[in-house]
Amino acid sequence: MDNSAVMWLLNIEELSRHFYCIAIDTLGGPGKSIPNAYFNKQKFEQVEWINEIVKHLSIDVFNIAGVSNGAYIAFNYATKQPDKVNRVICLEGGMVTTPIKAMLQTLMMMFPEILIPTDRNLLKVLKKLSAPDSPLFDDHPEVAAHLIL
């Protein structure tokens, strides 16, 4: 979802007990980060962007973690700047098939509910895209409400 608040909501408290954590929305994603007029998603330089962030925060070497697209960004950064990365953790970042085929499979999972995007149907879509029998949206309705928005 490119939204750090949702991705790390249930883990950040425990992670923060052991690590200094910074959760940043990916520019151009559906989070709170708003790209400026010069931002172009096709020409977005991820490595340069992360280098600017860590320079601003005076961080030399760090751990980096990501989920989904964030996993790709973390892996890409670690391969291009290995001297700056202590450890990298990539969750749900692999594609076992071609990107187009994977996108089509994901879209097909959303049918028929996505055709009539009511709150109820969107909650069904979220549950289809989650782990089987996951209590996430029942235990944390605020997460479901945020994702539905």
Side-chain angles (χ1 to χ4, degrees):
M1 301 286 182
D2 288 48
N3 185 305
S4 58
V6 173
M7 285 302 197
W8 298 104
L9 176 70
L10 302 178
N11 302 339
I12 199 70
E13 184 178 356
E14 184 63 28
L15 287 169
S16 295
R17 290 183 184 146
H18 308 280
F19 302 97
Y20 175 67
C21 296
I22 303 167
I24 301 171
D25 291 339
T26 306
L27 289 175
K32 297 244 184 220
S33 300
I34 301 172
N36 65 24
Y38 302 105
F39 176 80
N40 178 330
K41 202 162 187 172
Q42 276 73 33
K43 296 180 182 176
F44 178 52
E45 294 292 331
Q46 299 170 356
V47 173
E48 182 180 318
W49 171 63
I50 294 171
N51 281 337
E52 288 176 13
I53 292 167
V54 296
K55 181 180 178 186
H56 177 78
L57 297 171
S58 301
I59 300 170
D60 296 318
V61 178
F62 54 95
N63 299 319
I64 186 169
V67 178
S68 190
N69 184 51
Y72 166 76
I73 292 171
F75 179 79
N76 183 52
Y77 186 83
T79 58
K80 295 190 175 167
Q81 299 277 217
D83 55 315
K84 294 185 178 187
V85 176
N86 180 43
R87 291 199 172 121
V88 62
I89 300 165
C90 302
L91 305 164
E92 294 294 325
M95 292 222 178
V96 290
T97 184
T98 63
I100 291 177
K101 187 175 180 183
M103 273 193 290
L104 289 173
Q105 288 172 332
T106 301
L107 285 173
M108 293 308 295
M109 287 174 59
M110 297 180 189
F111 281 97
E113 293 87 2
I114 199 72
L115 296 174
I116 303 171
T118 63
D119 286 1
R120 183 173 178 232
N121 280 348
L122 291 174
L123 181 59
K124 285 182 182 179
V125 168
L126 291 173
K127 288 183 175 186
K128 281 184 175 183
L129 296 173
S130 301
D133 303 320
S134 171
L136 173 67
F137 301 118
D138 296 326
D139 293 350
H140 301 280
E142 70 280 4
V143 174
H146 179 80
L147 290 172
I148 287 169
L149 281 174

